[in-house]
Amino acid sequence: MTENLKKAIAMLKADNIRLAMTDGDTVFTSDVRGVYTLIELIEKGEYRLSDFSAADKVIGRGAALLYAKMKIREVHGIVMSEKAKEIFDLYSVPYSCDTVVPFIINRKGDGMCPVEKATESIIDCEKAYSVIKDTVNYKPSKGKSVNVPIIKKTKGDSDMKKLGFGCMRLPLTDKKDDSAVDIEQVKKMVDAYLSEGFNYFDTAYMYHKGKSECFVKEALVKRHPRESFLLADKLPVGMMKCAEDKEKIFLDQKEKCGVDYFDYYLLHCLDKKNFKSAEKYGVFEYLAERKKEGEIRVLGFSFHDTADVLDEILTKHPEMEFVQLQINYLDWENEKVQSRLCYETARRHGTPVIVMEPVRGGALANVPAIVKNMFAEKDRSLSVASWAIRFAAGLEGVFMVLSGMSDMAQLKDNMSYMKDFTPLTEQEKALCLRAGSIIANKETVPCTACRYCAEECPEKIAIPELLALYNKKINGDEASAEEYAALTAESSPADCIRCKKCEKMCPQKIEIAAMLKKIAKSFP
């Protein structure tokens, strides 16, 4: 058994997935039952599958014939049928298994698996391939490897950890200036994060007043080998004024980050309006070309809208290889955010998911006392924030959860439970959802502190900070007059001119102007 096969088996058992394949550099994983994923890999022809070692939950005769067609290097099955072993022996494919059964049963448990039955008398793998595609009613996915989360990994790192380093809330030397990033502290955090085996960094053109990418270059790209980390960046579709902007911004991002390619690249903040702009300006076609040229490894988009809009995008653009969604236990049933509905839509399309805002901009780290006590009673060793991140990370189809960590303490806390991640039990998931219901009934403002609003405000009102202070008051925590005075020393909520530029930029669709008026009345 080679090291690659050992790693594939470890991934299969650790991540609750059904298929894991690796050649040492690239890893495929899938949580889809049956042989559909194997057909996709063969159909796409994007990789030399004979270099891969595979670990599969269930291998019947049909799957064995597909592996034989791939000329797979070696394979291990948790459950393998006697008929599969016959095929592997016939084609001299190295194999091993945990359990051998006479045949694979169907999902109802009352007979033989349809694929096993359809290939019962077939030994030619090419003929079997055609029969199997007909049996499962396979339909080409027009460019996207459906149900196959393709994850590019650094060589020798097959245990891709699910905690991503979000570069939107980096530590500051001046809390009033979002561009005043404490670069020395960021360097220490980056080094600590990489040293624990994590490697996914997420930045964007708009973060930290347009300087996040530069900080990533200084703290990460200049100081660590390119192959030691994965870098994600985003094209700000909402900022585009003409078709030419897409190339101008993309080239600027490469220079600011100091890289020749992005491991992951996203159309930023797609909603109904931005989706129309992306199609109007030819963004999808342009980024597909950049991917073809090797400047993008994996292409997807981040999303802030309702599930029907997400369904429209994924239907029209099946070439998108992943989607980044706002998922947390507070927004799970939220009518505006629709975390659950959007997640289920992505799953229905077989699109892998990255989670953003798992802690809702820090709101789920600062919960009401009653919720804090609920979590403490369950496990006092875990931080409040850990429940939110683990809730998101344990969802099937989620391969990365982003956390915008503002200091070393937050980073260390997150790494402590994500280094060897254990999904929540059903009872623990229910506890999180109950906590979400309690917090939702407090009528707090759903601000995630992305700061897009503050950057647009002509009166320079400290909108995110004021909303956070208001939430503290609603939660029953001390929200002092001194804090309010400090935030309003230069501009107060009463200075709002109701231009609503902030509301146009808000991913959460908060009625900010009305809230500022309410806040002005709430504090003396």
Side-chain angles (χ1 to χ4, degrees), residues 124-222:
D124 182 273
C125 60
E126 295 298 333
K127 181 180 178 181
Y129 185 53
S130 177
V131 171
I132 293 169
K133 285 199 295 182
D134 288 341
T135 302
V136 302
N137 193 27
Y138 171 76
K139 295 178 181 179
S141 61
K142 299 179 182 179
K144 182 181 71 172
S145 296
V146 172
N147 299 325
V148 186
I150 300 177
I151 303 172
K152 180 70 177 69
K153 303 193 177 181
T154 56
K155 192 167 184 177
D157 181 15
S158 295
D159 299 317
M160 187 180 189
K161 301 185 188 302
K162 287 188 174 183
L163 176 66
F165 195 125
C167 299
M168 185 171 74
R169 300 184 180 91
L170 298 173
L172 303 174
T173 56
D174 181 354
K175 299 298 182 183
K176 295 182 179 180
D177 183 0
D178 198 43
S179 66
V181 168
D182 185 346
I183 191 65
E184 293 306 316
Q185 186 175 175
V186 175
K187 289 178 181 178
K188 292 177 182 177
M189 292 171 67
V190 165
D191 294 349
Y193 175 82
L194 288 171
S195 70
E196 292 295 335
F198 300 91
N199 66 352
Y200 188 99
F201 294 84
D202 173 270
T203 187
Y205 197 68
M206 301 166 65
Y207 295 170
H208 287 284
K209 295 184 178 179
K211 295 184 178 180
S212 175
E213 292 159 328
C214 299
F215 296 130
V216 167
K217 180 178 181 178
E218 292 300 314
L220 174 67
V221 178
K222 283 186 175 181

Side-chain angles (χ1 to χ4, degrees), residues 152 200-205 213 216 221 226 229-235 249-266 286-287 290-291 293-299 321-322:
K152 180 70 177 69
Y200 188 99
F201 294 84
D202 173 270
T203 187
Y205 197 68
E213 292 159 328
V216 167
V221 178
R226 182 64 183 91
F229 61 86
L230 301 170
L231 181 60
D233 208 340
K234 312 177 188 74
L235 185 74
I249 292 172
F250 185 77
L251 295 177
D252 189 29
Q253 289 178 303
K254 285 175 61 181
E255 183 177 350
K256 287 168 71 176
C257 289
V259 297
D260 295 323
Y261 67 90
F262 295 105
D263 297 282
Y264 289 76
Y265 196 80
L266 304 84
Y286 174 75
L287 295 181
R290 301 278 62 76
K291 185 175 187 294
E293 294 298 319
E295 296 171 275
I296 295 170
R297 298 292 175 84
V298 188
L299 180 61
E321 296 172 279
F322 69 98

Side-chain angles (χ1 to χ4, degrees), residues 262-331:
F262 295 105
D263 297 282
Y264 289 76
Y265 196 80
L266 304 84
L267 289 82
H268 196 181
C269 200
L270 287 195
D271 55 15
K272 197 170 190 67
K273 179 183 176 182
N274 287 341
F275 176 45
K276 288 182 179 179
S277 296
E279 294 203 309
K280 175 183 177 182
Y281 296 135
V283 173
F284 289 95
E285 294 80 3
Y286 174 75
L287 295 181
E289 190 62 30
R290 301 278 62 76
K291 185 175 187 294
K292 184 178 179 181
E293 294 298 319
E295 296 171 275
I296 295 170
R297 298 292 175 84
V298 188
L299 180 61
F301 63 97
S302 65
F303 181 78
H304 285 285
D305 212 322
T306 52
D308 60 321
V309 178
L310 178 60
D311 183 65
E312 180 184 0
I313 296 173
L314 291 175
T315 299
K316 288 186 176 180
H317 292 280
E319 75 275 11
M320 292 292 99
E321 296 172 279
F322 69 98
V323 60
Q324 190 162 298
L325 299 175
Q326 178 171 320
I327 296 178
N328 56 67
Y329 65 73
L330 179 55
D331 290 323

